[in-house]
Amino acid sequence: DTGVSQNPRHKITKRGQNVTFRCDPISEHNRLYWYRQTLGQGPEFLTYFQNEAQLEKSRLLSDRFSAERPKGSFSTLEIQRTEQGDSAMYLCASSSRADGAYEQYFGPGTRLTVT
Amino acid sequence: GQNIDQPTEMTATEGAIVQINCTYQTSGFNGLFWYQQHAGEAPTFLSYNVLDGLEEKGRFSSFLSRSKGYSYLLLKELQMKDSASYLCAVDSGAGSYQLTFGKGTKLSVIP
C-alpha cells in the first residue's frame, strides 16, 4: 500500500473557473476527510465521509464547494467559481478504527493557486 | 468554540532536548494528536494521548493533562531533520473524529 494519494499536486486556475481534486485513500480505510491549509496555519476541517456517506460539513464549506465519495473508495472535491481566497493546500486524510487506533493519514495535498 | 494554542516558533540546538507546549479549550475531548509537517509536505502522525500521562515513542514523548487542557511534545537528541512544524490537534468528540489543529510550532534545529 502506497498511502493516501492526491491528484493533481498543483493546480493554477483563473478566478471564476471550476476545479476538481481527487483523493485515493488507503484501501481499507472507511473514513475520509478533507482539510484546507493556508500558509502559517494548521489544517482546517472541511468535510468527512464514512464509506460513501458524507456525514459532516464545516461551516467553512460554502455552497461553491462540493465533495463526493461515490463508491466509498476515492473522493473528489470540486470548487466552483473559484475566488482568490480559495488559494490554499487541500489535504485529504483517511483513517480506520480496525486496529484500535484512528490516527489520520494525510496525502501530499493539492496546492491550488487562483490568479 | 475551539481554541488551540502553541508557540509560533522555537529554536534548539542539535543534540539537545526541546519541549513544545499546547493548550486547548474545546467543547469536548476525545484525544489529542501531535503531527510533524516538513515544509511543503503532508502532516505525519507522531503521537496520540487520550488519558493523562506520558506516552513515549523513541526520541519523541507526549504528555497530556486533561484537567489543565495541556499537552506537550518532548523531542530528545535533536537532529537537523527534526526541523519542521509540529501541529497539536484535538478530537473534540463530535462523532466524526475530525481534528481541530493549532497553528503549528515551527522548530528550527541549529548546529
Side-chain angles (χ1 to χ4, degrees), chain A residues 33 35 37 56 102 104 107, chain B residues 30 35 37 42 91 96-98:
Chain A
Y33 304 80
Y35 291 86
Q37 186 175 26
E56 190 159 348
Y102 64 100
Q104 296 180 21
Chain B
N30 200 35
Y35 280 82
Q37 187 175 29
D91 174 355
S96 66
Y97 308 101
Q98 63 170 275

Side-chain angles (χ1 to χ4, degrees), chain A residues 1 9 38 47 52-53 58 61 69-71 91 98 110-111 115:
Chain A
D1 189 356
R9 295 292 307 277
T38 54
T47 191
E52 68 275 9
S58 165
L61 211 65
R69 194 182 183 196
K71 296 182 180 179
L91 294 165
T110 295
R111 182 168 295 284
T115 62

Side-chain angles (χ1 to χ4, degrees), chain B:
Chain B
Q2 323 282 40
N3 192 44
I4 299 175
D5 287 318
Q6 49 182 134
T8 304
E9 293 184 25
M10 298 182 72
T11 302
T13 305
E14 191 176 15
I17 300 172
V18 70
Q19 178 175 311
I20 302 174
N21 295 325
C22 171
T23 57
Y24 63 89
Q25 293 174 307
T26 55
S27 54
F29 183 83
N30 200 35
L32 186 143
F33 296 77
W34 284 94
Y35 280 82
Q36 179 190 62
Q37 187 175 29
H38 286 99
E41 298 183 10
T44 55
F45 169 78
L46 291 177
S47 69
Y48 166 64
N49 294 72
V50 65
L51 299 176
D52 290 352
L54 189 68
E55 294 283 341
E56 296 185 82
K57 190 186 290 187
R59 294 190 300 115
F60 292 12
S61 303
S62 57
F63 172 83
L64 175 67
S65 169
R66 289 172 297 169
S67 62
K68 295 182 180 178
Y70 169 69
S71 173
Y72 67 73
L73 180 69
L74 194 71
L75 291 76
K76 303 175 186 175
E77 301 169 13
L78 280 173
Q79 302 174 9
M80 299 299 289
K81 68 178 183 180
D82 296 329
S83 293
S85 284
Y86 290 86
L87 300 163
C88 174
V90 172
D91 174 355
S92 58
S96 66
Y97 308 101
Q98 63 170 275
L99 298 179
T100 302
F101 283 84
K103 294 183 178 182
T105 299
K106 184 177 179 182
L107 174 67
S108 298
V109 180
I110 57 175

Side-chain angles (χ1 to χ4, degrees), chain A:
Chain A
D1 189 356
T2 56
V4 179
S5 61
Q6 293 186 245
N7 288 288
R9 295 292 307 277
H10 303 272
K11 179 70 177 179
I12 300 174
T13 192
K14 292 185 178 179
R15 189 176 53 186
Q17 297 295 305
N18 299 343
V19 294
T20 300
F21 310 142
R22 176 175 171 131
C23 170
D24 287 88
I26 294 171
S27 57
E28 64 269 23
H29 284 184
N30 62 339
R31 299 188 180 118
L32 187 146
Y33 304 80
W34 285 98
Y35 291 86
R36 179 171 66 189
Q37 186 175 26
T38 54
L39 197 62
Q41 304 292 317
E44 293 176 299
F45 169 77
L46 293 178
T47 191
Y48 159 69
F49 289 85
Q50 183 162 320
N51 300 312
E52 68 275 9
Q54 187 175 20
L55 296 184
E56 190 159 348
K57 292 196 294 185
S58 165
R59 285 169 290 181
L60 293 175
L61 211 65
S62 78
D63 56 7
R64 297 185 297 106
F65 287 68
S66 62
E68 294 183 343
R69 194 182 183 196
K71 296 182 180 179
S73 56
F74 73 92
S75 176
T76 58
L77 178 68
E78 181 183 17
I79 309 174
Q80 296 182 326
R81 306 180 302 281
T82 52
E83 301 173 357
Q84 287 188 322
D86 297 332
S87 295
M89 176 76 86
Y90 289 83
L91 294 165
C92 175
S94 69
S95 72
S96 170
R97 192 133 197 185
D99 58 358
Y102 64 100
E103 63 263 26
Q104 296 180 21
Y105 295 84
F106 283 83
T110 295
R111 182 168 295 284
L112 173 66
T113 302
V114 181
T115 62

